[in-house]
Amino acid sequence: MSKQLEGQVALVTGAGRGIGQAIARALGAAGAHVVAAARSKREIEAVAREIVAAGGQALGLPLDIAQEDQVSAAFAQVRERLGRLDVLVNNAGIGRFGPVVDFASAELKQVTAVNLLGTFWCCQQAMRLMIPQRRGYIINISSVVGFKGYPNQAAYTATKHAVMGLTKSLAVEAQPHGIRVSAILPGGVDTSMVGDARPDLDRSILMRPEDIAQTVMFLLSLSEKAAVDEIYIRRRTSQPF
Ligand SMILES: NC(=O)c1ccc[n+]([C@@H]2O[C@H](COP(=O)([O-])OP(=O)(O)OC[C@H]3O[C@@H](n4cnc5c(N)ncnc54)[C@H](OP(=O)(O)O)[C@@H]3O)[C@@H](O)[C@H]2O)c1
């Protein structure tokens, strides 16, 4: 029996650890040829090796999405080596936290360069590959802070609101080309990033990265007649996160 994503190429940014690693594994298990991208070569190569060892297909692609020239070179490599792109998961992101009153400009620029500019450039390059195919799916990993606000998270929150703006606008722009664009907005997930953002939280009560990976797989399981704008997924609790 053929697998759900057999013959498809899926690029995941930030695939070296955390949520992106779980997404890459799930896509590989579903038969996609996975392109695992991030800055840490060692981590993405380990993820690619693991997918191949499990019987799938994958390659690790070193990429800093905050560098526009690296983004265009990476997508050019995908075109040359694999010939197509069916799924892009814009998962790479960084958190920089602290009160607005003391927030350093360098940190503001860094978080914006990765979370907004990098995500935008990846969408742009993916569109250039997907438009001639007349199909494709772009999934942006936003956050609960894509619609809520928390203290000491203003810069991160602003970039994730911006990712929602990008997602909403691109979804409409991409539709006539047969390309779907959705956002997933997770609450707390047990990764190293959340330890920095919320050192007060007991990480054992958070969602698992696999919960977000399954949400990606759900979106990809829908027929091309269905469009999902966004999915907010949070940990099960009676308290607000
Ligand atoms: N954890 C949560 O509670 C949570 C909740 C909501 C949303 N999110 C979002 O989910 C995504 C993944 O978060 P996570 O918790 O899994 O974080 P993580 O464990 O810190 O992993 C982040 C991944 O992104 C990569 N990355 C960072 N900067 C990059 C850059 N400039 N270019 C390419 N790759 C880059 C990292 O690899 P390198 O450092 O090697 O590049 C790593 O593979 C982020 O967008 C985050 O905002 C997380």
Side-chain angles (χ1 to χ4, degrees):
M1 209 177 75
S2 74
K3 293 183 176 172
Q4 184 192 343
L5 300 179
E6 204 86 60
Q8 297 196 29
V9 174
L11 192 160
V12 184
T13 66
R17 57 180 184 272
I19 295 170
Q21 180 186 45
I23 294 171
R25 283 177 177 151
L27 291 167
H33 195 136
V34 177
V35 181
R39 290 169 305 175
S40 311
K41 196 163 179 269
R42 192 181 48 80
E43 289 186 350
I44 48 173
E45 285 182 348
V47 171
R49 266 198 310 276
E50 190 198 320
I51 292 170
V52 170
Q57 301 180 85
L59 68 93
L61 196 62
L63 169 63
D64 180 351
I65 63 162
Q67 306 297 327
E68 189 178 5
D69 54 340
Q70 287 194 29
V71 175
S72 42
F75 281 78
Q77 272 213 53
V78 170
R79 192 184 54 241
E80 279 156 29
R81 295 172 69 168
L82 302 169
R84 58 183 300 107
L85 181 66
D86 300 282
V87 178
L88 166 66
V89 184
N90 278 311
N91 164 79
I94 57 170
R96 293 290 181 268
F97 307 105
V100 169
V101 70
D102 302 322
F103 208 77
S105 286
E107 301 248 81
L108 179 61
K109 287 176 185 164
Q110 206 178 4
V111 74
T112 304
V114 178
N115 297 0
L116 172 56
L117 301 185
T119 302
F120 189 103
W121 288 325
C122 289
C123 286
Q124 183 174 52
Q125 290 294 332
M127 288 292 290
R128 290 176 186 169
L129 290 179
M130 289 173 176
I131 287 173
Q133 296 171 183
R134 297 209 54 77
R135 73 183 301 275
Y137 207 142
I138 297 174
I139 299 172
N140 292 332
I141 307 298
S142 177
S143 165
V144 58
V145 303
F147 71 100
K148 287 190 183 182
Y150 296 94
N152 302 326
Q153 298 198 24
Y156 179 64
T157 299
T159 63
K160 291 298 187 178
H161 273 65
V163 166
M164 294 312 298
L166 167 62
T167 306
K168 288 172 190 173
S169 191
L170 186 60
V172 182
E173 216 174 287
Q175 191 171 318
H177 301 288
I179 299 163
R180 287 178 291 171
V181 184
S182 304
I184 298 175
L185 301 88
V189 182
D190 182 14
T191 70
S192 55
M193 178 190 283
V194 89
D196 298 339
R198 295 288 304 269
D200 54 309
L201 279 182
D202 168 8
R203 282 171 56 175
S204 69
I205 61 166
L206 299 177
M207 287 184 286
R208 309 267 81 86
E210 290 72 23
D211 292 317
I212 313 308
Q214 284 309 308
T215 310
V216 169
M217 297 314 296
F218 163 70
L219 287 174
L220 296 176
S221 74
L222 298 173
S223 88
E224 293 193 9
K225 303 287 176 206
V228 175
D229 299 321
E230 58 190 59
I231 296 179
Y232 169 42
I233 174 169
R234 60 173 178 82
R235 72 187 170 97
R236 197 161 60 86
T237 173
S238 55
Q239 302 295 318
F241 169 62

